[in-house]
Amino acid sequence: NAGVTQTPKFRILKIGQSMTLQCAQDMNHNYMYWYRQDPGMGLKLIYYSVGAGITDKGEVPNGYNVSRSTTEDFPLRLELAAPSQTSVYFCASSGTDKSSYNEQFFGPGTRLTVL
Amino acid sequence: AQSVSQHNHHVILSEAASLELGCNYSYGGTVNLFWYVQYPGQHLQLLLKYFSGDPLVKGIKGFEAEFIKSKFSFNLRKPSVQWSDTAEYFCAVSSGGYQKVTFGTGTKLQVIP
């Protein structure tokens, strides 16, 4: 199993550009999440999904959009990038198996800089 | 909304010293508790978790944590740290049946050889 994969690993955007951060998991997990990590701030939940076709906002959704057309994929879209979106973005997933209930598995992250 | 507090933001220890990182949460009901570790330049990995049963939980690499319900705490401990334990440590909590997890702000541990 590859687990949770994310692409790209690094990206530099200009203000106002848009991009999509890709996330995929091969563990057949229903739940998927997008977080951003800023120094000293921990992880902030951007969006999450409880299954294909179902998404909802987290703590910091402004400036982002998501979709979940399949169980495996959960892309994060940035529209009109702003310097405040400079961060490291982590995708995670979790399943309903009782042995790992609520345990989140993380991808390697995408480091995004907006200039 | 539940919250998680990690009071130590940056801890510096010498090798072989004992470690205890504090974690307190706000939710009063049934909780699932986690400690994750993030080595430099890497993603978060699970160290240990508590769902139910024995409040003393043992994880990987010699780490353990104790759930004290009366104190809303889940402190992480290791009797003797190594240089390779240099990392950032995150406490996290989820409540009820919903899979949303709230993370603390993290504690950076630096172990000096």
Side-chain angles (χ1 to χ4, degrees), chain A residues 13-17 36 38 64 78-89 112-115:
Chain A
L13 283 182
K14 293 182 179 178
I15 295 172
Q17 287 185 320
R36 58 177 290 170
D38 301 297
Y64 307 94
L78 277 72
E79 305 281 3
L80 298 175
S84 61
Q85 293 178 304
T86 294
S87 188
V88 181
Y89 292 85
L112 175 68
T113 303
V114 182
L115 300 173

Side-chain angles (χ1 to χ4, degrees), chain B residues 58-84:
Chain B
K58 295 193 183 299
I60 60 171
K61 303 186 179 185
F63 286 91
E64 65 178 30
E66 185 175 12
F67 170 50
I68 303 179
K69 189 174 182 179
S70 61
K71 294 185 178 181
F72 298 88
S73 70
F74 190 56
N75 292 354
L76 181 71
R77 300 194 293 248
K78 186 172 183 179
S80 177
V81 295
Q82 301 173 317
W83 177 78
S84 58

Side-chain angles (χ1 to χ4, degrees), chain A residues 37 48 94 99 101-102 104 107, chain B residues 43 49 51 94 97-99:
Chain A
Q37 183 182 29
Y48 65 96
S94 63
S99 65
Y101 189 64
N102 280 3
Q104 298 196 359
Chain B
H43 61 283
K49 59 190 178 186
F51 288 167
S94 69
Y98 177 37
Q99 297 235 347

Side-chain angles (χ1 to χ4, degrees), chain A residues 31 33 35 37 40-43 45 48 50 90 94-96 98-104 106-109, chain B residues 32 34 36 38 41-46 49 51 88 90 94-101 103-106:
Chain A
Y31 300 86
Y33 313 83
Y35 295 92
Q37 183 182 29
M41 301 296 290
L43 279 80
L45 182 64
Y48 65 96
V50 301
F90 288 101
S94 63
T96 53
K98 285 188 178 180
S99 65
S100 60
Y101 189 64
N102 280 3
E103 175 186 343
Q104 298 196 359
F106 284 83
Chain B
N32 298 328
F34 308 85
Y36 286 85
Q38 186 178 30
Q42 297 189 24
H43 61 283
L44 276 75
Q45 305 167 49
L46 184 72
K49 59 190 178 186
F51 288 167
E88 192 161 13
F90 292 91
S94 69
S95 56
Y98 177 37
Q99 297 235 347
K100 181 180 173 184
V101 175
F103 287 84
T105 53

